[in-house]
Amino acid sequence: PGATSGLHPGDIVVQLGKLPIANEDDVLAASFYLTANDDVTVAILREGERHEFNVLPVVHPQMNLAPRAPVRLPVLGANDLRLEADDLDR
């Protein structure tokens, strides 16, 4: 998707959506706010000049998005959540 949006190898991403990007950890954090098929603005530096592009995030083709069976969790009662004084010393 990036290449078809005008991004080139060597471009430095400085903003993803409304979030500034200073390092690769910021890219990962900002990616949690992306939704497939919702445009996002990406700001880059290319040869010292800032450029902005609209990019359409997509689901990675190797992701398995098959529906999964629901997880059944046990129902806890008040006695199951009891905390003993000895537990506080650990």
Side-chain angles (χ1 to χ4, degrees):
T4 60
S5 299
L7 299 175
H8 297 165
D11 288 347
I12 299 170
V13 177
V14 295
Q15 188 170 341
L16 186 55
K18 296 180 181 182
L19 300 174
I21 303 298
N23 56 49
E24 52 277 341
D25 291 333
D26 291 345
V27 174
L28 181 60
S31 70
F32 286 105
Y33 297 97
L34 300 179
T35 303
N37 300 317
D38 283 347
D39 278 335
V40 65
T41 301
V42 177
I44 58 102
L45 288 179
R46 180 183 298 150
E47 298 177 5
E49 290 188 37
R50 183 182 171 106
H51 300 273
E52 291 187 358
F53 301 92
N54 285 328
V55 176
L56 185 65
V58 297
V59 175
H60 193 283
Q62 293 179 354
M63 286 199 55
N64 180 4
L65 296 179
R68 296 182 180 164
V71 175
R72 298 186 190 272
L73 299 175
V75 176
L76 299 177
N79 291 334
D80 296 321
L81 301 176
R82 186 175 49 234
L83 186 64
E84 300 294 334
D86 291 342
D87 294 333
L88 300 175
D89 294 332
R90 293 183 203 171

